[in-house]
Amino acid sequence: MAKTIHEEEYRLIDKVSAGFANIGNGIKGLSTKFTELNQAAELASKGINLAVRAAEGIGDAVSGAADYEEAMRRVVIVTKATAEEQVALQQAVRDAADSVGATADESAAALLNMARDGFSARDAIDSLGSVLAYAKAQAIGAKEAAAGLGGILDSFGERSVTSVAQVADALTAAAQAAGT
């Protein structure tokens, strides 16, 4: 009878041990599942962040396009540009993007400042490249560059395309020579 009791105890201990082993395996499996779930959540988070950045980029592009359109509309109104001059203004913006790397809305903002400063459409077109090169050399915005150059010329009582281009070119050359 004692042997039977011990055998029953051993069987019970074996069953309990097997139960604990099953629980341990279940916990390991659960840990693996949590790891997989965490990895999936990280991937989903990265995907969501990518989608958000793409949406922000689209929003910025739409905003930039709207800023460009509004500035160009104002340039046309202020300068009373003809249809031919309107085409030339748009071409000047494209050329500025190619030669100086300015965005369309930056170029349009510079054109608008020059128009507000009294430049004709043709004068603004002729000065745009120099103004944008000056802005780049000074690491300032195109709008600020146009306003600053206009202020310099106002202080000397000058207001001609030649003088804007000359001042912008001279200041750009000086900045580049100084390494700024």
PDB file of all heavy atoms in Angstrom, residues 52-92:
ATOM      1  N   VAL A  52       1.648  60.552 -42.680  1.00  0.00           N
ATOM      2  CA  VAL A  52       1.476  61.914 -42.153  1.00  0.00           C
ATOM      3  C   VAL A  52       2.460  62.869 -42.814  1.00  0.00           C
ATOM      4  O   VAL A  52       2.094  63.976 -43.232  1.00  0.00           O
ATOM      5  CB  VAL A  52       1.637  61.930 -40.611  1.00  0.00           C
ATOM      6  CG1 VAL A  52       1.794  63.347 -40.075  1.00  0.00           C
ATOM      7  CG2 VAL A  52       0.451  61.250 -39.955  1.00  0.00           C
ATOM      8  N   ARG A  53       3.731  62.441 -42.946  1.00  0.00           N
ATOM      9  CA  ARG A  53       4.727  63.304 -43.594  1.00  0.00           C
ATOM     10  C   ARG A  53       4.372  63.551 -45.056  1.00  0.00           C
ATOM     11  O   ARG A  53       4.551  64.658 -45.565  1.00  0.00           O
ATOM     12  CB  ARG A  53       6.127  62.701 -43.467  1.00  0.00           C
ATOM     13  CG  ARG A  53       6.717  62.869 -42.064  1.00  0.00           C
ATOM     14  CD  ARG A  53       8.203  62.557 -42.047  1.00  0.00           C
ATOM     15  NE  ARG A  53       8.506  61.225 -42.528  1.00  0.00           N
ATOM     16  CZ  ARG A  53       8.695  60.160 -41.771  1.00  0.00           C
ATOM     17  NH1 ARG A  53       8.610  60.268 -40.464  1.00  0.00           N
ATOM     18  NH2 ARG A  53       8.961  58.991 -42.307  1.00  0.00           N
ATOM     19  N   ALA A  54       3.859  62.516 -45.718  1.00  0.00           N
ATOM     20  CA  ALA A  54       3.447  62.695 -47.115  1.00  0.00           C
ATOM     21  C   ALA A  54       2.301  63.696 -47.201  1.00  0.00           C
ATOM     22  O   ALA A  54       2.286  64.571 -48.077  1.00  0.00           O
ATOM     23  CB  ALA A  54       3.035  61.357 -47.726  1.00  0.00           C
ATOM     24  N   ALA A  55       1.348  63.580 -46.285  1.00  0.00           N
ATOM     25  CA  ALA A  55       0.213  64.517 -46.281  1.00  0.00           C
ATOM     26  C   ALA A  55       0.690  65.942 -45.991  1.00  0.00           C
ATOM     27  O   ALA A  55       0.212  66.900 -46.608  1.00  0.00           O
ATOM     28  CB  ALA A  55      -0.822  64.081 -45.250  1.00  0.00           C
ATOM     29  N   GLU A  56       1.643  66.085 -45.068  1.00  0.00           N
ATOM     30  CA  GLU A  56       2.188  67.416 -44.780  1.00  0.00           C
ATOM     31  C   GLU A  56       2.888  67.981 -46.010  1.00  0.00           C
ATOM     32  O   GLU A  56       2.772  69.166 -46.311  1.00  0.00           O
ATOM     33  CB  GLU A  56       3.167  67.350 -43.605  1.00  0.00           C
ATOM     34  CG  GLU A  56       2.501  67.131 -42.269  1.00  0.00           C
ATOM     35  CD  GLU A  56       3.498  66.885 -41.145  1.00  0.00           C
ATOM     36  OE1 GLU A  56       4.700  66.628 -41.424  1.00  0.00           O
ATOM     37  OE2 GLU A  56       3.083  66.942 -39.983  1.00  0.00           O
ATOM     38  N   GLY A  57       3.641  67.134 -46.705  1.00  0.00           N
ATOM     39  CA  GLY A  57       4.330  67.567 -47.922  1.00  0.00           C
ATOM     40  C   GLY A  57       3.356  68.023 -48.982  1.00  0.00           C
ATOM     41  O   GLY A  57       3.572  69.043 -49.652  1.00  0.00           O
ATOM     42  N   ILE A  58       2.274  67.280 -49.137  1.00  0.00           N
ATOM     43  CA  ILE A  58       1.244  67.669 -50.103  1.00  0.00           C
ATOM     44  C   ILE A  58       0.612  68.986 -49.693  1.00  0.00           C
ATOM     45  O   ILE A  58       0.404  69.877 -50.508  1.00  0.00           O
ATOM     46  CB  ILE A  58       0.184  66.557 -50.252  1.00  0.00           C
ATOM     47  CG1 ILE A  58       0.807  65.338 -50.947  1.00  0.00           C
ATOM     48  CG2 ILE A  58      -1.038  67.051 -51.017  1.00  0.00           C
ATOM     49  CD1 ILE A  58      -0.056  64.098 -50.916  1.00  0.00           C
ATOM     50  N   GLY A  59       0.341  69.128 -48.396  1.00  0.00           N
ATOM     51  CA  GLY A  59      -0.228  70.382 -47.889  1.00  0.00           C
ATOM     52  C   GLY A  59       0.702  71.555 -48.123  1.00  0.00           C
ATOM     53  O   GLY A  59       0.267  72.632 -48.545  1.00  0.00           O
ATOM     54  N   ASP A  60       2.012  71.347 -47.892  1.00  0.00           N
ATOM     55  CA  ASP A  60       2.985  72.416 -48.137  1.00  0.00           C
ATOM     56  C   ASP A  60       3.039  72.776 -49.619  1.00  0.00           C
ATOM     57  O   ASP A  60       3.136  73.952 -49.974  1.00  0.00           O
ATOM     58  CB  ASP A  60       4.374  71.999 -47.657  1.00  0.00           C
ATOM     59  CG  ASP A  60       4.486  71.924 -46.148  1.00  0.00           C
ATOM     60  OD1 ASP A  60       3.576  72.445 -45.452  1.00  0.00           O
ATOM     61  OD2 ASP A  60       5.471  71.333 -45.657  1.00  0.00           O
ATOM     62  N   ALA A  61       2.986  71.755 -50.466  1.00  0.00           N
ATOM     63  CA  ALA A  61       3.026  72.010 -51.919  1.00  0.00           C
ATOM     64  C   ALA A  61       1.796  72.785 -52.363  1.00  0.00           C
ATOM     65  O   ALA A  61       1.895  73.725 -53.159  1.00  0.00           O
ATOM     66  CB  ALA A  61       3.131  70.693 -52.681  1.00  0.00           C
ATOM     67  N   VAL A  62       0.650  72.407 -51.842  1.00  0.00           N
ATOM     68  CA  VAL A  62      -0.588  73.110 -52.196  1.00  0.00           C
ATOM     69  C   VAL A  62      -0.539  74.546 -51.689  1.00  0.00           C
ATOM     70  O   VAL A  62      -0.893  75.484 -52.403  1.00  0.00           O
ATOM     71  CB  VAL A  62      -1.824  72.358 -51.643  1.00  0.00           C
ATOM     72  CG1 VAL A  62      -3.079  73.199 -51.759  1.00  0.00           C
ATOM     73  CG2 VAL A  62      -1.996  71.031 -52.364  1.00  0.00           C
ATOM     74  N   SER A  63      -0.045  74.720 -50.474  1.00  0.00           N
ATOM     75  CA  SER A  63       0.077  76.064 -49.907  1.00  0.00           C
ATOM     76  C   SER A  63       1.057  76.903 -50.715  1.00  0.00           C
ATOM     77  O   SER A  63       0.794  78.075 -51.005  1.00  0.00           O
ATOM     78  CB  SER A  63       0.548  75.969 -48.450  1.00  0.00           C
ATOM     79  OG  SER A  63       0.752  77.247 -47.919  1.00  0.00           O
ATOM     80  N   GLY A  64       2.197  76.298 -51.093  1.00  0.00           N
ATOM     81  CA  GLY A  64       3.179  77.022 -51.907  1.00  0.00           C
ATOM     82  C   GLY A  64       2.606  77.411 -53.252  1.00  0.00           C
ATOM     83  O   GLY A  64       2.844  78.520 -53.743  1.00  0.00           O
ATOM     84  N   ALA A  65       1.847  76.512 -53.858  1.00  0.00           N
ATOM     85  CA  ALA A  65       1.224  76.815 -55.153  1.00  0.00           C
ATOM     86  C   ALA A  65       0.210  77.941 -55.011  1.00  0.00           C
ATOM     87  O   ALA A  65       0.134  78.833 -55.867  1.00  0.00           O
ATOM     88  CB  ALA A  65       0.561  75.569 -55.725  1.00  0.00           C
ATOM     89  N   ALA A  66      -0.535  77.913 -53.916  1.00  0.00           N
ATOM     90  CA  ALA A  66      -1.517  78.972 -53.688  1.00  0.00           C
ATOM     91  C   ALA A  66      -0.817  80.311 -53.454  1.00  0.00           C
ATOM     92  O   ALA A  66      -1.250  81.348 -53.971  1.00  0.00           O
ATOM     93  CB  ALA A  66      -2.407  78.620 -52.493  1.00  0.00           C
ATOM     94  N   ASP A  67       0.292  80.291 -52.688  1.00  0.00           N
ATOM     95  CA  ASP A  67       1.063  81.515 -52.455  1.00  0.00           C
ATOM     96  C   ASP A  67       1.605  82.055 -53.770  1.00  0.00           C
ATOM     97  O   ASP A  67       1.562  83.267 -54.017  1.00  0.00           O
ATOM     98  CB  ASP A  67       2.235  81.249 -51.497  1.00  0.00           C
ATOM     99  CG  ASP A  67       1.788  80.924 -50.083  1.00  0.00           C
ATOM    100  OD1 ASP A  67       0.608  81.187 -49.753  1.00  0.00           O
ATOM    101  OD2 ASP A  67       2.619  80.405 -49.312  1.00  0.00           O
ATOM    102  N   TYR A  68       2.109  81.166 -54.607  1.00  0.00           N
ATOM    103  CA  TYR A  68       2.648  81.564 -55.908  1.00  0.00           C
ATOM    104  C   TYR A  68       1.564  82.199 -56.762  1.00  0.00           C
ATOM    105  O   TYR A  68       1.758  83.286 -57.320  1.00  0.00           O
ATOM    106  CB  TYR A  68       3.246  80.339 -56.616  1.00  0.00           C
ATOM    107  CG  TYR A  68       3.487  80.558 -58.090  1.00  0.00           C
ATOM    108  CD1 TYR A  68       4.565  81.319 -58.525  1.00  0.00           C
ATOM    109  CD2 TYR A  68       2.638  80.016 -59.047  1.00  0.00           C
ATOM    110  CE1 TYR A  68       4.786  81.532 -59.879  1.00  0.00           C
ATOM    111  CE2 TYR A  68       2.864  80.224 -60.394  1.00  0.00           C
ATOM    112  CZ  TYR A  68       3.931  80.986 -60.810  1.00  0.00           C
ATOM    113  OH  TYR A  68       4.149  81.201 -62.137  1.00  0.00           O
ATOM    114  N   GLU A  69       0.426  81.529 -56.863  1.00  0.00           N
ATOM    115  CA  GLU A  69      -0.664  82.039 -57.695  1.00  0.00           C
ATOM    116  C   GLU A  69      -1.136  83.404 -57.216  1.00  0.00           C
ATOM    117  O   GLU A  69      -1.367  84.308 -58.016  1.00  0.00           O
ATOM    118  CB  GLU A  69      -1.842  81.051 -57.717  1.00  0.00           C
ATOM    119  CG  GLU A  69      -1.549  79.763 -58.450  1.00  0.00           C
ATOM    120  CD  GLU A  69      -1.297  79.954 -59.939  1.00  0.00           C
ATOM    121  OE1 GLU A  69      -1.856  80.893 -60.533  1.00  0.00           O
ATOM    122  OE2 GLU A  69      -0.522  79.169 -60.499  1.00  0.00           O
ATOM    123  N   GLU A  70      -1.260  83.549 -55.906  1.00  0.00           N
ATOM    124  CA  GLU A  70      -1.727  84.823 -55.343  1.00  0.00           C
ATOM    125  C   GLU A  70      -0.703  85.931 -55.597  1.00  0.00           C
ATOM    126  O   GLU A  70      -1.059  87.043 -55.991  1.00  0.00           O
ATOM    127  CB  GLU A  70      -1.985  84.672 -53.841  1.00  0.00           C
ATOM    128  CG  GLU A  70      -2.425  85.952 -53.149  1.00  0.00           C
ATOM    129  CD  GLU A  70      -3.725  86.549 -53.678  1.00  0.00           C
ATOM    130  OE1 GLU A  70      -4.525  85.832 -54.320  1.00  0.00           O
ATOM    131  OE2 GLU A  70      -3.945  87.755 -53.456  1.00  0.00           O
ATOM    132  N   ALA A  71       0.580  85.644 -55.386  1.00  0.00           N
ATOM    133  CA  ALA A  71       1.613  86.656 -55.615  1.00  0.00           C
ATOM    134  C   ALA A  71       1.669  87.047 -57.088  1.00  0.00           C
ATOM    135  O   ALA A  71       1.773  88.238 -57.414  1.00  0.00           O
ATOM    136  CB  ALA A  71       2.976  86.140 -55.143  1.00  0.00           C
ATOM    137  N   MET A  72       1.587  86.064 -57.979  1.00  0.00           N
ATOM    138  CA  MET A  72       1.641  86.375 -59.414  1.00  0.00           C
ATOM    139  C   MET A  72       0.418  87.188 -59.840  1.00  0.00           C
ATOM    140  O   MET A  72       0.536  88.101 -60.659  1.00  0.00           O
ATOM    141  CB  MET A  72       1.755  85.092 -60.245  1.00  0.00           C
ATOM    142  CG  MET A  72       3.098  84.387 -60.091  1.00  0.00           C
ATOM    143  SD  MET A  72       4.530  85.407 -60.524  1.00  0.00           S
ATOM    144  CE  MET A  72       4.398  85.424 -62.302  1.00  0.00           C
ATOM    145  N   ARG A  73      -0.735  86.872 -59.268  1.00  0.00           N
ATOM    146  CA  ARG A  73      -1.940  87.649 -59.570  1.00  0.00           C
ATOM    147  C   ARG A  73      -1.732  89.109 -59.153  1.00  0.00           C
ATOM    148  O   ARG A  73      -2.059  90.039 -59.899  1.00  0.00           O
ATOM    149  CB  ARG A  73      -3.142  87.034 -58.844  1.00  0.00           C
ATOM    150  CG  ARG A  73      -4.483  87.703 -59.168  1.00  0.00           C
ATOM    151  CD  ARG A  73      -5.620  87.117 -58.342  1.00  0.00           C
ATOM    152  NE  ARG A  73      -5.503  87.410 -56.919  1.00  0.00           N
ATOM    153  CZ  ARG A  73      -5.758  88.602 -56.360  1.00  0.00           C
ATOM    154  NH1 ARG A  73      -6.141  89.611 -57.099  1.00  0.00           N
ATOM    155  NH2 ARG A  73      -5.642  88.778 -55.061  1.00  0.00           N
ATOM    156  N   ARG A  74      -1.147  89.298 -57.980  1.00  0.00           N
ATOM    157  CA  ARG A  74      -0.905  90.664 -57.498  1.00  0.00           C
ATOM    158  C   ARG A  74       0.146  91.382 -58.346  1.00  0.00           C
ATOM    159  O   ARG A  74       0.030  92.586 -58.590  1.00  0.00           O
ATOM    160  CB  ARG A  74      -0.471  90.638 -56.034  1.00  0.00           C
ATOM    161  CG  ARG A  74      -1.606  90.291 -55.110  1.00  0.00           C
ATOM    162  CD  ARG A  74      -1.166  90.324 -53.681  1.00  0.00           C
ATOM    163  NE  ARG A  74      -2.275  90.033 -52.788  1.00  0.00           N
ATOM    164  CZ  ARG A  74      -2.149  89.907 -51.491  1.00  0.00           C
ATOM    165  NH1 ARG A  74      -0.972  90.050 -50.929  1.00  0.00           N
ATOM    166  NH2 ARG A  74      -3.200  89.640 -50.755  1.00  0.00           N
ATOM    167  N   VAL A  75       1.195  90.656 -58.761  1.00  0.00           N
ATOM    168  CA  VAL A  75       2.217  91.264 -59.622  1.00  0.00           C
ATOM    169  C   VAL A  75       1.578  91.780 -60.898  1.00  0.00           C
ATOM    170  O   VAL A  75       1.846  92.903 -61.332  1.00  0.00           O
ATOM    171  CB  VAL A  75       3.345  90.244 -59.954  1.00  0.00           C
ATOM    172  CG1 VAL A  75       4.258  90.770 -61.057  1.00  0.00           C
ATOM    173  CG2 VAL A  75       4.159  89.911 -58.711  1.00  0.00           C
ATOM    174  N   VAL A  76       0.709  90.963 -61.489  1.00  0.00           N
ATOM    175  CA  VAL A  76       0.040  91.353 -62.732  1.00  0.00           C
ATOM    176  C   VAL A  76      -0.817  92.599 -62.505  1.00  0.00           C
ATOM    177  O   VAL A  76      -0.812  93.530 -63.308  1.00  0.00           O
ATOM    178  CB  VAL A  76      -0.810  90.177 -63.277  1.00  0.00           C
ATOM    179  CG1 VAL A  76      -1.739  90.629 -64.387  1.00  0.00           C
ATOM    180  CG2 VAL A  76       0.108  89.056 -63.757  1.00  0.00           C
ATOM    181  N   ILE A  77      -1.523  92.647 -61.387  1.00  0.00           N
ATOM    182  CA  ILE A  77      -2.381  93.798 -61.083  1.00  0.00           C
ATOM    183  C   ILE A  77      -1.545  95.054 -60.845  1.00  0.00           C
ATOM    184  O   ILE A  77      -1.823  96.110 -61.411  1.00  0.00           O
ATOM    185  CB  ILE A  77      -3.282  93.504 -59.862  1.00  0.00           C
ATOM    186  CG1 ILE A  77      -4.329  92.440 -60.221  1.00  0.00           C
ATOM    187  CG2 ILE A  77      -3.947  94.772 -59.352  1.00  0.00           C
ATOM    188  CD1 ILE A  77      -5.094  91.904 -59.031  1.00  0.00           C
ATOM    189  N   VAL A  78      -0.511  94.930 -60.011  1.00  0.00           N
ATOM    190  CA  VAL A  78       0.293  96.102 -59.649  1.00  0.00           C
ATOM    191  C   VAL A  78       1.058  96.640 -60.851  1.00  0.00           C
ATOM    192  O   VAL A  78       1.135  97.862 -61.059  1.00  0.00           O
ATOM    193  CB  VAL A  78       1.266  95.765 -58.483  1.00  0.00           C
ATOM    194  CG1 VAL A  78       2.231  96.903 -58.224  1.00  0.00           C
ATOM    195  CG2 VAL A  78       0.473  95.454 -57.215  1.00  0.00           C
ATOM    196  N   THR A  79       1.612  95.739 -61.664  1.00  0.00           N
ATOM    197  CA  THR A  79       2.425  96.200 -62.807  1.00  0.00           C
ATOM    198  C   THR A  79       1.586  96.462 -64.041  1.00  0.00           C
ATOM    199  O   THR A  79       2.105  97.007 -65.026  1.00  0.00           O
ATOM    200  CB  THR A  79       3.496  95.152 -63.175  1.00  0.00           C
ATOM    201  OG1 THR A  79       2.852  93.937 -63.579  1.00  0.00           O
ATOM    202  CG2 THR A  79       4.451  94.911 -62.035  1.00  0.00           C
ATOM    203  N   LYS A  80       0.318  96.078 -63.987  1.00  0.00           N
ATOM    204  CA  LYS A  80      -0.563  96.186 -65.153  1.00  0.00           C
ATOM    205  C   LYS A  80       0.066  95.461 -66.351  1.00  0.00           C
ATOM    206  O   LYS A  80       0.103  95.964 -67.473  1.00  0.00           O
ATOM    207  CB  LYS A  80      -0.852  97.638 -65.495  1.00  0.00           C
ATOM    208  CG  LYS A  80      -1.592  98.373 -64.377  1.00  0.00           C
ATOM    209  CD  LYS A  80      -1.803  99.836 -64.744  1.00  0.00           C
ATOM    210  CE  LYS A  80      -2.585 100.544 -63.681  1.00  0.00           C
ATOM    211  NZ  LYS A  80      -1.840 101.108 -62.610  1.00  0.00           N
ATOM    212  N   ALA A  81       0.581  94.253 -66.063  1.00  0.00           N
ATOM    213  CA  ALA A  81       1.285  93.464 -67.070  1.00  0.00           C
ATOM    214  C   ALA A  81       0.364  93.056 -68.209  1.00  0.00           C
ATOM    215  O   ALA A  81      -0.783  92.666 -67.993  1.00  0.00           O
ATOM    216  CB  ALA A  81       1.887  92.212 -66.427  1.00  0.00           C
ATOM    217  N   THR A  82       0.897  93.134 -69.404  1.00  0.00           N
ATOM    218  CA  THR A  82       0.162  92.668 -70.583  1.00  0.00           C
ATOM    219  C   THR A  82       0.199  91.142 -70.607  1.00  0.00           C
ATOM    220  O   THR A  82       0.926  90.511 -69.822  1.00  0.00           O
ATOM    221  CB  THR A  82       0.837  93.199 -71.868  1.00  0.00           C
ATOM    222  OG1 THR A  82       2.146  92.607 -71.970  1.00  0.00           O
ATOM    223  CG2 THR A  82       0.935  94.717 -71.867  1.00  0.00           C
ATOM    224  N   ALA A  83      -0.541  90.552 -71.502  1.00  0.00           N
ATOM    225  CA  ALA A  83      -0.549  89.093 -71.628  1.00  0.00           C
ATOM    226  C   ALA A  83       0.858  88.578 -71.939  1.00  0.00           C
ATOM    227  O   ALA A  83       1.301  87.561 -71.385  1.00  0.00           O
ATOM    228  CB  ALA A  83      -1.534  88.656 -72.707  1.00  0.00           C
ATOM    229  N   GLU A  84       1.560  89.290 -72.798  1.00  0.00           N
ATOM    230  CA  GLU A  84       2.927  88.900 -73.146  1.00  0.00           C
ATOM    231  C   GLU A  84       3.843  88.997 -71.918  1.00  0.00           C
ATOM    232  O   GLU A  84       4.681  88.118 -71.672  1.00  0.00           O
ATOM    233  CB  GLU A  84       3.440  89.802 -74.269  1.00  0.00           C
ATOM    234  CG  GLU A  84       4.829  89.453 -74.753  1.00  0.00           C
ATOM    235  CD  GLU A  84       5.275  90.378 -75.875  1.00  0.00           C
ATOM    236  OE1 GLU A  84       4.609  90.392 -76.934  1.00  0.00           O
ATOM    237  OE2 GLU A  84       6.292  91.083 -75.675  1.00  0.00           O
ATOM    238  N   GLU A  85       3.688  90.052 -71.136  1.00  0.00           N
ATOM    239  CA  GLU A  85       4.498  90.220 -69.926  1.00  0.00           C
ATOM    240  C   GLU A  85       4.153  89.163 -68.881  1.00  0.00           C
ATOM    241  O   GLU A  85       5.038  88.697 -68.145  1.00  0.00           O
ATOM    242  CB  GLU A  85       4.308  91.627 -69.353  1.00  0.00           C
ATOM    243  CG  GLU A  85       4.959  92.707 -70.193  1.00  0.00           C
ATOM    244  CD  GLU A  85       4.608  94.109 -69.730  1.00  0.00           C
ATOM    245  OE1 GLU A  85       3.484  94.315 -69.201  1.00  0.00           O
ATOM    246  OE2 GLU A  85       5.454  95.007 -69.912  1.00  0.00           O
ATOM    247  N   GLN A  86       2.891  88.761 -68.813  1.00  0.00           N
ATOM    248  CA  GLN A  86       2.503  87.705 -67.878  1.00  0.00           C
ATOM    249  C   GLN A  86       3.224  86.403 -68.205  1.00  0.00           C
ATOM    250  O   GLN A  86       3.709  85.708 -67.306  1.00  0.00           O
ATOM    251  CB  GLN A  86       0.989  87.501 -67.901  1.00  0.00           C
ATOM    252  CG  GLN A  86       0.213  88.661 -67.304  1.00  0.00           C
ATOM    253  CD  GLN A  86      -1.285  88.474 -67.413  1.00  0.00           C
ATOM    254  OE1 GLN A  86      -1.783  87.371 -67.276  1.00  0.00           O
ATOM    255  NE2 GLN A  86      -1.989  89.564 -67.673  1.00  0.00           N
ATOM    256  N   VAL A  87       3.293  86.076 -69.471  1.00  0.00           N
ATOM    257  CA  VAL A  87       4.023  84.875 -69.901  1.00  0.00           C
ATOM    258  C   VAL A  87       5.497  85.021 -69.540  1.00  0.00           C
ATOM    259  O   VAL A  87       6.130  84.084 -69.042  1.00  0.00           O
ATOM    260  CB  VAL A  87       3.831  84.633 -71.418  1.00  0.00           C
ATOM    261  CG1 VAL A  87       4.758  83.538 -71.924  1.00  0.00           C
ATOM    262  CG2 VAL A  87       2.379  84.290 -71.726  1.00  0.00           C
ATOM    263  N   ALA A  88       6.060  86.210 -69.768  1.00  0.00           N
ATOM    264  CA  ALA A  88       7.470  86.463 -69.451  1.00  0.00           C
ATOM    265  C   ALA A  88       7.724  86.369 -67.944  1.00  0.00           C
ATOM    266  O   ALA A  88       8.775  85.868 -67.517  1.00  0.00           O
ATOM    267  CB  ALA A  88       7.895  87.829 -69.984  1.00  0.00           C
ATOM    268  N   LEU A  89       6.777  86.849 -67.141  1.00  0.00           N
ATOM    269  CA  LEU A  89       6.908  86.741 -65.679  1.00  0.00           C
ATOM    270  C   LEU A  89       6.956  85.275 -65.250  1.00  0.00           C
ATOM    271  O   LEU A  89       7.791  84.882 -64.430  1.00  0.00           O
ATOM    272  CB  LEU A  89       5.747  87.454 -64.983  1.00  0.00           C
ATOM    273  CG  LEU A  89       5.799  88.975 -64.953  1.00  0.00           C
ATOM    274  CD1 LEU A  89       4.433  89.563 -64.637  1.00  0.00           C
ATOM    275  CD2 LEU A  89       6.836  89.454 -63.944  1.00  0.00           C
ATOM    276  N   GLN A  90       6.067  84.477 -65.799  1.00  0.00           N
ATOM    277  CA  GLN A  90       6.050  83.049 -65.458  1.00  0.00           C
ATOM    278  C   GLN A  90       7.336  82.362 -65.917  1.00  0.00           C
ATOM    279  O   GLN A  90       7.880  81.510 -65.209  1.00  0.00           O
ATOM    280  CB  GLN A  90       4.821  82.378 -66.057  1.00  0.00           C
ATOM    281  CG  GLN A  90       3.540  82.833 -65.397  1.00  0.00           C
ATOM    282  CD  GLN A  90       2.292  82.296 -66.071  1.00  0.00           C
ATOM    283  OE1 GLN A  90       2.345  81.708 -67.144  1.00  0.00           O
ATOM    284  NE2 GLN A  90       1.156  82.511 -65.433  1.00  0.00           N
ATOM    285  N   GLN A  91       7.841  82.749 -67.072  1.00  0.00           N
ATOM    286  CA  GLN A  91       9.094  82.179 -67.574  1.00  0.00           C
ATOM    287  C   GLN A  91      10.259  82.596 -66.680  1.00  0.00           C
ATOM    288  O   GLN A  91      11.161  81.808 -66.408  1.00  0.00           O
ATOM    289  CB  GLN A  91       9.356  82.598 -69.024  1.00  0.00           C
ATOM    290  CG  GLN A  91      10.587  81.935 -69.626  1.00  0.00           C
ATOM    291  CD  GLN A  91      10.492  80.425 -69.669  1.00  0.00           C
ATOM    292  OE1 GLN A  91       9.478  79.868 -70.080  1.00  0.00           O
ATOM    293  NE2 GLN A  91      11.541  79.746 -69.222  1.00  0.00           N
ATOM    294  N   ALA A  92      10.237  83.820 -66.201  1.00  0.00           N
ATOM    295  CA  ALA A  92      11.293  84.298 -65.302  1.00  0.00           C
ATOM    296  C   ALA A  92      11.320  83.466 -64.022  1.00  0.00           C
ATOM    297  O   ALA A  92      12.394  83.149 -63.498  1.00  0.00           O
ATOM    298  CB  ALA A  92      11.086  85.777 -64.976  1.00  0.00           C
TER     299      ALA A  92
END
